[in-house]
Amino acid sequence: MEMPTPDAAILSRKSKIVELLRAALPKAAVIHDEAEVRAYECDALTAYRCPPLAVVLPATTEEVATALRICHAEGVPVVPRGSGTSLAGGALPTADSVILGVARMNKVLETDYDNRFIRVQTGRTNLSVTGAVEQEDFFYAPDPSSQLACAIAGNIAMNSGGAHCLKYGVTTNNLLGVTMVTMAGEVLEIGGAHLDAGGYDLLGVICGSEGQLGVVTEATLRILRKPEGARPVLIGFDSNEVAGACVSDIIKAGVLPVAIEFMDRPCIEATEAFAKAGYPMCEALLIVEVEGSAAEIDAQLGLIAGIARRHDPVELREAQSEDEAKRIWLGRKSAFGAMGQINDYMCLDGTIPVSALPYVLKRIGEMSKEYGLGVANVFHAGDGNMHPLILFDANKPGDLELCEAFGADILKLCVEVGGCLTGEHGVGIEKRDLMETQFAPADLEAQMRVKDVFDPAWLLNPAKVFPLSVSRERRERQVAA
Amino acid sequence: MSSPATESELSEMLAGAKGPLRVVGGGTRPVGRPVAGEVLSVAGLSGIELYEPGALTIVAKAGTPLAEVEAALAAEGQRLPFEPMDHRALLGTTGAPTIGGVVAANVSGPRRIQAGACRDSLIGVRFVDGSGAIVKNGGRVMKNVTGYDLVKLMAGSWGTLGVLTEVAFKVLPAPEAAATLSLAGLSELQAVEAMAVALGSPFEVTGAAHLPEEGRTLLRIEGFATSVAYRAGRLADLMAPFGGVEVEEGAEAVARRWQALRDVEAFAGQAGDVWRISVKPTDGPGIAARIGGRVMFDWGGGLIWALVPEGTDLRARLGAFAGHATLLRAAPETRGRIAPFQPEPAPLAAIAAELKRRFDPRGILNPGLMAA
Ligand SMILES: Cc1cc2nc3c(=O)[nH]c(=O)nc-3n(C[C@H](O)[C@@H](O)[C@H](O)COP(=O)(O)OP(=O)(O)OC[C@H]3O[C@@H](n4cnc5c(N)ncnc54)[C@H](O)[C@@H]3O)c2cc1C
Ligand SMILES: Cc1cc2nc3c(=O)[nH]c(=O)nc-3n(C[C@H](O)[C@H](O)[C@H](O)COP(=O)(O)OP(=O)(O)OC[C@H]3O[C@@H](n4cnc5c(N)ncnc54)[C@H](O)[C@@H]3O)c2cc1C
């Protein structure tokens, strides 16, 4: 992966920059020792690493602003960081950048059940937001699989979603306001506990901007009352196509499940060997979950079972107890770990229109043969968000490159059928160079103009999202100035 | 007036434009500062491009009448979740509201509290910016984090950043049944409290409004018939401490009631200016007390519709508060004198002005409509 050459002038001023930061911030907030900054050299896309110039871990918005003002004045790039679980290299440092991590900012600032929101510092982990309100039977809806570790900061930057977003939407649909510090160190309050924007929807633009427009330090999040209950059903099919058709039919029938998850045979086999969830051996299986009172759940599952039966399922297993429900989810939840046990893999993240599911799965199967690399599929079928896992051998020379080429072909296929390059993980550096397959120059130009407005010097989270060739002129103009 | 028939024609027109343009869809709504400029109609860009009921997505050209979109969805038992209001009665206008106008104004109705705003259902746009460049963002899939989300930026930008040519939505199944629970005689404070309890329950309330003049507080439940019956019953029990609850279940009556509320019919044809104020629900009664006019509450108390004497500067009367107030209906003279949109704090106003400058460098698209 090509990255811009680090700015030698900044590297040579490292000690001065560190001194300025140390003088303005509490001692413990600044890390510059070479061994210690190494802990921040990558996020969960571990194939790419680069230790940063220094790391700053502030405790307050004011400290974030102080750090940014210094970096801005010194012309030093800044990479915002939450928990570092990005799978797209979104938090990958450059050698001449300062990592600005919000992990120490994890307080709950306000909970308000009457108005149904919670205000938190953005270093707080996703799951612990729900943890803070579940005693009152409330929850925070977006649920990325990394929710135990990932921070609200990263969720906002990546507009993260999870298994339940078919019903509850992704981060942007559950975010009411943020406190954000611009690269120049100005503190902005955007949105709040009221609904809808007053002027332009800046909140909507910040969500999903991958840490390139500002550093979010506080967030007002919508919280919801938990449903009375939820129950999954597992449905097995002897072909991917039929499973795909069943997904469409369920949606068309007017039921809105909270989740429809899909696993194919390679994934089922690996998962069974690992987690022993008792899944049927078949070509494809769906896990469909519905919510409501016991009677409502019965009614909805009845409808779903009726639809599924028309597609001749090889298995239809409705959870009869809490324990059975857990077992149905167990395999799905262990899928990534299971695949990791048997192979190195690369997890892709593209989205397609649900109607294209059978075609895309067929093409992936064919390409798998052409490339000679195995693929397992596990994904959120209700919203077409695919996660093909390409299996490869990290110790075999050339295998990673082959895997990357195969991955790029799959993502291009997603775009070809009317989908997109990433449904939840973000562009980061991983998909940066594929952006031109989805966007025309004018489309990218329009997005870069927004960056120009918030961060005119292009210092925040460098070399992410936009292909280097496309952003070169802007980046160089800034260096010259 | 110019009325391009294709996106590329529109692009040429904008690139070659010599002066300011007033962008209209159905032209049914004079909201914002009056715009002096030649009329640019997008009504010629019409038609549903793609509709996949099994994928819950629809794509339409911006000038497509809203009614045509809603009819296509209804034929498959689906709908736009955000329940866009029809403002013709309130504003005393005629014409056919377009889907692009709905997006440009981010129009959402009572269901906004549960299903989100127009911008939450909007998944893709195509537009032409002020220099004539054709831009697309988002697409036709529900989950998409490829690049910055300009879809949201365009929703509610009232034709000041670009002229929309195509919009894509995620839609939802229309429910089989609905019911309205009605409570009588609550004070504003009690009503907001009751609505908070209802919205904090697991019974998926999709509408919560309080009409002080009728002395009624209304809650809506939607879903499968069995669910609606069950939820209405449980919710009525939960509301018992607030007094007697009436449950109305006739589909016609329920639809009619929420439509009247959605379209603010109570203030249609009544003299005075109409303001729309968005606050945190529990702040609603306090704000209403300062309004000194007729009010009604939607969104659990968080959306206040106010009818005040002509020419009232309501914002001056309210002073500083968390939220925003929009002057929606008033004589052009008033809308020229009192900023129709809530003025923003200086740093945000500066960002908005810069965005406007980058997307519309010559300032030809609805100049001054949102901000001077
Ligand atoms: C909660 C809420 C309440 C509202 N209440 C009222 C109300 O009471 N009365 C009222 O009149 N309106 C109201 N509106 C707006 C209105 O309800 C919408 O239905 C819609 O704007 C009407 O569509 P139209 O095609 O007639 O739009 P138009 O009146 O033609 O245009 C609406 C706005 O969108 C712009 N626009 C239109 N088409 C495009 C396009 N293709 N690209 C870019 N910009 C475009 C116009 O320049 C104008 O600023 C409200 C909006 C909201 C958010
Ligand atoms: C096992 C696993 C499962 C996953 N499952 C899912 C899933 O189901 N759905 C999903 O959407 N994602 C998933 N992810 C990806 C990842 O967890 C999300 O992208 C998450 O939101 C990243 O959060 P983070 O706090 O770790 O952010 P980081 O990795 O630290 O950063 C991510 C991005 O956010 C920016 N950023 C961080 N903090 C700030 C801030 N304060 N202000 C501005 N920008 C900031 C960074 O610059 C970077 O661009 C998964 C990851 C793993 C490892």
Side-chain angles (χ1 to χ4, degrees), chain A residues 58-61 102-110 119-125 129 151-153 216-219 221:
Chain A
T60 64
T61 298
V102 293
R104 287 187 185 160
M105 300 177 60
N106 58 10
K107 287 199 211 37
V108 171
L109 302 169
E110 187 181 358
R119 205 158 56 81
V120 298
Q121 288 183 317
T122 54
R124 193 165 182 91
T125 61
V129 171
I152 292 299
V216 291
T217 58
E218 294 176 12
L221 308 169

Side-chain angles (χ1 to χ4, degrees), chain A residues 110 112-117 138 158-159 161-162 165-170 172-173 186 188-190 193-205 207-210 212-213 222 225-228 247-248 251-256 291-293 296 299-300 303 349 351-355 380 382-383 385 417-427 435 438-440 442-443 446-454 465-466, chain B residues 52-56 76-78 106 108 112-117 119-121 127 129 131 133-150 152-153 155-158 160-161 170 172-174 192-193 195-197 199-204 224 226-228 230-231 234 276 278-283 299-300 302 322-324 326 341-342 344-345 347-348 350-356 358-360 370:
Chain A
E110 187 181 358
D112 183 333
Y113 298 102
D114 281 343
N115 294 301
R116 297 168 303 286
F117 71 86
F138 275 76
M158 292 309 199
N159 190 15
C165 60
L166 183 58
K167 176 167 177 194
Y168 294 111
V170 293
T172 194
N173 309 117
E186 189 162 34
L188 306 177
E189 296 290 344
I190 300 173
H194 57 279
L195 298 176
D196 287 4
Y200 292 149
D201 189 354
L202 301 182
L203 189 64
V205 180
C207 193
S209 64
E210 307 205 8
Q212 293 198 309
L213 303 184
R222 211 155 84 104
R225 174 65 189 257
K226 278 191 185 151
E228 288 176 90
V247 172
S248 272
I251 291 174
K252 255 191 281 191
V255 219
L256 189 65
E291 286 180 349
S293 67
E296 290 174 301
Q300 293 181 70
L303 229 153
D349 164 46
T351 300
I352 57 166
V354 178
S355 54
H380 316 306
D383 40 40
N385 190 184
V417 300
C420 65
L421 294 172
T422 168
E424 56 182 23
H425 295 166
V427 178
M435 287 288 271
Q438 186 175 334
F439 294 111
D443 305 335
Q447 295 178 33
M448 290 192 296
R449 277 183 210 148
V450 174
K451 167 90 169 151
D452 290 338
V453 170
F454 282 89
V465 184
F466 303 108
Chain B
E52 280 189 32
L56 299 174
E76 293 287 341
Q78 298 184 340
N106 188 29
S108 324
R112 196 256 174 273
I113 44 170
Q114 194 250 354
R119 55 87 94 176
D120 292 291
S121 291
F127 63 94
D129 74 9
S131 68
I134 297 172
V135 178
K136 71 166 183 304
N137 195 265
R140 64 178 180 102
V141 289
M142 294 185 201
K143 282 176 85 187
N144 183 350
V145 292
T146 324
Y148 298 169
D149 192 351
L150 304 186
K152 305 287 185 297
L153 183 64
S157 65
W158 294 83
T160 61
L161 296 177
K170 111 178 166 185
L172 285 182
V192 168
E193 198 188 321
M195 290 190 283
V197 171
L199 290 166
S201 78
F203 307 122
E204 299 197 13
F224 288 108
T226 47
S227 294
V228 168
Y230 166 80
R231 291 186 172 173
R234 294 295 310 273
R276 179 181 178 276
S278 176
V279 292
K280 179 167 88 177
T282 54
D283 288 351
W299 298 0
H324 52 93
T326 309
F341 290 87
Q342 179 89 27
E344 297 186 276
L348 297 185
I351 288 171
E354 269 300 287
L355 285 169
K356 168 77 174 157
R358 312 261 170 163
F359 281 86
D360 179 23
M370 288 185 79

Side-chain angles (χ1 to χ4, degrees), chain A residues 43-44 78-92 100-102 122-124 143-147 149-163 171 180 206 209-217 332 336 345 349 380 385 387 423-426 428 460-461 464, chain B residues 143:
Chain A
D43 53 27
V78 170
V79 177
R81 183 178 167 108
S83 303
T85 67
S86 165
L87 290 166
L92 176 74
L100 186 59
V102 293
T122 54
R124 193 165 182 91
D143 59 343
S145 310
S146 52
Q147 66 184 152
C150 67
I152 292 299
N155 290 178
I156 293 171
M158 292 309 199
N159 190 15
S160 301
T171 302
M180 184 178 92
I206 284 152
S209 64
E210 307 205 8
Q212 293 198 309
L213 303 184
V215 177
V216 291
T217 58
R332 170 63 182 88
F336 286 71
Y345 69 79
D349 164 46
H380 316 306
N385 190 184
H387 292 305
E424 56 182 23
H425 295 166
L460 268 174
N461 211 2
K464 315 284 159 49
Chain B
K143 282 176 85 187

Side-chain angles (χ1 to χ4, degrees), chain A residues 196, chain B residues 22-31 42 62-63 66 85-88 90-91 93 96-102 104-109 158-160 162-165 263-264 276 299 303 305 328 366 369:
Chain A
D196 287 4
Chain B
R22 188 151 64 86
V23 185
V24 300
T28 57
R29 175 235 27 57
V31 176
V42 296
L66 176 62
M85 82 179 274
D86 180 341
H87 56 278
R88 283 171 291 189
L90 181 66
L91 291 198
T93 55
T98 61
I99 191 71
V102 167
N106 188 29
V107 184
S108 324
W158 294 83
T160 61
V163 180
L164 294 159
T165 56
D263 297 343
V264 199
R276 179 181 178 276
W299 298 0
L303 175 65
W305 291 98
L328 203 75
N366 282 346
L369 186 144

